[in-house]
């Protein structure tokens, strides 16, 4: 990040007509934009939402309340404009790209085999990386994939340890029996792939999913292309968690847009040192929470760019 | 409120292409709009932000970090478009009305006399009431007034009791000595007006301020004119707290847009049973937090109005 750009924002903020620090996280957001766009007067002309979609072999273990065909049906719903993210992206003034990843070929059931071999994992990472063009000012990352809170919980447990139950929630709404099947599947996956768990990227391949790998790739591309990132919910956070484990500042260009109602998310954000902007009890995915935070970023930037200073406005200081 | 309209929203929400309840508080917001607009398909064509401004005799007790002339200077800054709220209202797609209330005549110093007599109090309430026309779909309420976290804390302590220190924060940034002066002034005010404290409206007159009384009046008008209300921070919440004390549903048409960093706000919102939408460490006033929440309301309504149902989209249900 560009320390000088961030410092320039902080200096300007202290001259604007408000008590110092009184815009709270909006001031932090303005500095964050500057740091990662590497520019003291950042912009938000091009905001893009990416929704990566994938299917999951582990659904064979009965871990989701909805059937797997809903993934492709929801991708069609995104195309025809009927999903929540279509409305939220429009309100946010953001373009929406939906990128399905080989939906006809689910990943391997990780209780039996790796979800992806190295080639499949890298192909998905590349798909995410290549999707992010260098002309964007901010990206929102999200996903759709029936069953994907199970790989997200498995990755979280593999990277951060602790009782599997603390990472495992009800996803789209499984009952108690379904929740027990999720926990059992994750425990089986952790056991089967135990020798891979020391390497965060190997965890993402063995226990993850294509849409999660693509989110990881997009987050890497954003770092290389000076684009700040808004992360969506539990699955998205788990998707990028390997980057946080690989390097202490691996996710510094990302903000957690919200904390979802899915059981493990708050704990995961704490483990990643990513305090969320919003806490609205949402648990939809699709980048819906990330998209809601775009307006906060726009508001932060608009205050930074267009407020008058004490001197300009003739307002007395302390 | 219109129970049938709210129930119609909840029924429709359960048919839309998302797991039931997965939009969290956005679903609650859509039902709240319908309930208080008394219409199953509410609208947000006319959103207006009101910033009421007043001056305070209690500033003679050294309770603010800024001099009183900043109130009129900031009103001028609002007029020329240089304040935070100008940027935030524009981003929110809302009209902004700034209403100064007799700034040349501060209220009485409540350590010595009532802040307002009955006539002055009712004039300020009326100013707020009359400002709210019936053609609005949503209003945001906020304030500007150097020293006004002191009356806000005094009202909170008078209505809800407890140690004065738990209600008293640093406002625009007083030091420890200033904080002690605030606490002493509030304790003196509570003692002087002890016989009035059983009546919530008498509390608002004796310890409040003109801009707080106007917010109370605007909130009453909104209830009578079927307009939902977004409340801003600590001062705004204290301004309407008497309505919550007068009737258990007196504030049901209002949502707390955010919880501010000012010390007493979280506690006051709990006392009023108003869970905030946002928690961004802001402490500016000016309706800034209320304005930031407009986008959440727009997003909630847009999802409600324009998402496809499972049947329309051909998506399988559980």
């Amino acid at each position: 990040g560009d320390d000088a750009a961030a410092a320039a924002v902080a200096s300007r903020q202290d001259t604007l007509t408000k008590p110092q620090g009184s815009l709270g996280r909006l001031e932090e957001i303005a500095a964050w934009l500057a740091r990662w766009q590497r520019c003291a007067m950042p912009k938000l002309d091009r905001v893009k939402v990416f929704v990566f979609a994938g299917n999951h072999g582990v659904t064979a273990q009965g871990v989701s309340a909805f059937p797997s065909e809903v993934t492709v049906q929801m991708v069609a719903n995104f195309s025809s404009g009927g999903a929540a993210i279509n409305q939220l992206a429009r309100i946010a003034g953001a373009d929406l790209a939906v990128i399905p990843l080989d939906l006809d070929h689910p990943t391997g059931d990780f209780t039996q085999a790796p979800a992806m071999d190295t080639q499949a994992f890298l192909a998905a990472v590349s798909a995410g990386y290549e999707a992010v063009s260098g002309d964007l000012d901010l990206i929102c990352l999200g996903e759709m994939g029936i069953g994907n809170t199970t790989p997200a919980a498995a990755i979280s447990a593999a990277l951060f340890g602790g009782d599997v139950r603390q990472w495992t929630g009800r996803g789209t709404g499984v009952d108690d029996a379904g929740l027990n099947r999720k926990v059992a599947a994750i425990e089986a996956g952790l056991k089967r792939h135990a020798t891979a768990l020391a390497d965060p990227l190997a965890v993402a391949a063995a226990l993850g999913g294509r849409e999660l790998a693509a989110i990881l790739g997009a987050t890497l591309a954003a770092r290389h292309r000076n684009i700040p990132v808004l992360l969506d919910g539990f699955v998205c956070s788990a998707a990028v968690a390997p980057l946080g484990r690989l390097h202490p500042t691996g996710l510094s260009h990302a903000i957690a847009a919200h904390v979802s109602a899915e059981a493990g998310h708050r704990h995961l954000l704490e483990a990643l040192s990513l305090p969320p902007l919003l806490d609205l009890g949402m648990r939809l995915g699709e980048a819906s929470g990330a998209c809601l935070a775009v307006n906060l970023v726009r508001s932060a930037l608009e205050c930074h760019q267009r407020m008058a200073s004490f001197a300009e406005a003739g307002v007395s200081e302390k």
Side-chain angles (χ1 to χ4, degrees), chain A:
Chain A
D2 182 337
D3 291 341
V9 166
S11 296
R12 176 169 156 79
Q13 288 281 340
D14 285 349
T15 70
L16 301 178
T17 42
K18 58 178 176 54
Q20 288 188 8
S22 62
L23 283 175
R25 293 199 70 184
L26 297 194
E27 299 191 25
E28 169 201 323
I29 289 170
W32 166 80
L33 276 181
R35 177 182 297 279
W36 296 104
Q37 288 190 8
R38 298 179 175 274
C39 168
M41 202 49 100
K43 58 195 173 68
L44 286 171
D45 298 330
R46 293 209 57 190
V47 179
K48 192 159 181 175
V49 180
F50 293 94
V51 181
F52 298 100
N55 272 322
H56 296 271
V58 74
T59 54
Q61 303 300 319
V63 297
S64 179
F66 284 85
S68 279
E69 60 259 33
V70 167
T71 305
V72 72
Q73 291 168 347
M74 281 301 294
V75 167
N77 194 27
F78 298 146
S79 295
S80 57
I85 190 61
N86 298 101
Q87 323 319 319
L88 297 174
R90 186 174 58 248
I91 289 276
D95 290 331
L96 172 62
V98 178
I99 302 179
L101 299 157
D102 213 0
L103 297 186
D104 292 341
H105 299 97
T107 54
D109 175 352
F110 67 56
T111 67
Q112 312 294 323
M116 292 165 282
D117 60 21
T118 301
Q119 189 179 353
F121 175 66
L122 291 179
V125 171
S126 293
Y129 195 102
E130 297 303 330
V132 179
S133 58
D135 58 345
L136 300 173
D137 300 320
L138 176 71
I139 62 171
C140 299
L141 298 179
E143 43 56 48
M144 169 73 214
I146 292 298
N148 70 8
T149 57
T150 298
I155 289 173
S156 302
L159 294 180
F160 297 105
D163 187 344
V164 166
R165 287 197 175 267
Q166 81 182 339
W167 300 109
T168 311
R170 293 180 186 274
T172 52
V174 290
D175 58 14
D176 288 348
L179 189 61
N180 288 334
R181 289 192 296 272
K182 278 179 84 163
V183 170
I186 293 163
E187 288 175 341
L190 292 174
K191 192 170 170 193
R192 171 168 287 271
H193 305 290
T195 58
L197 303 189
D199 172 359
L201 293 177
V203 166
L207 298 169
R210 288 195 184 87
E211 73 276 39
L212 285 81
I215 287 170
L216 187 153
T219 302
L220 273 178
R223 181 64 158 256
H224 292 156
R225 292 166 181 161
N226 302 325
I227 305 168
V229 175
L230 288 175
L231 301 171
D232 194 34
F234 179 56
V235 177
C236 182
S237 302
V240 300
L243 298 178
R245 288 303 256 176
L246 284 169
H247 195 281
T249 69
L251 293 174
S252 300
H253 64 307
I255 284 183
H258 80 133
V259 57
S260 85
E262 179 69 5
H265 196 207
R266 195 174 300 270
H267 193 49
L268 180 58
L269 292 180
E270 282 166 11
L272 293 169
S273 300
L274 290 173
L277 287 175
L278 296 165
D279 182 0
L280 296 168
M282 294 168 65
R283 50 182 174 79
L284 177 59
E286 300 181 4
S288 55
C291 220
L292 276 181
V294 170
N295 184 263
L296 300 180
V297 181
R298 287 196 194 282
S299 298
L301 181 61
E302 206 74 3
C303 286
H304 175 62
Q305 286 183 328
R306 299 179 66 170
M307 280 179 70
S309 68
F310 281 97
E312 288 164 347
V315 174
S316 306
E317 298 196 55
K318 281 196 241 190

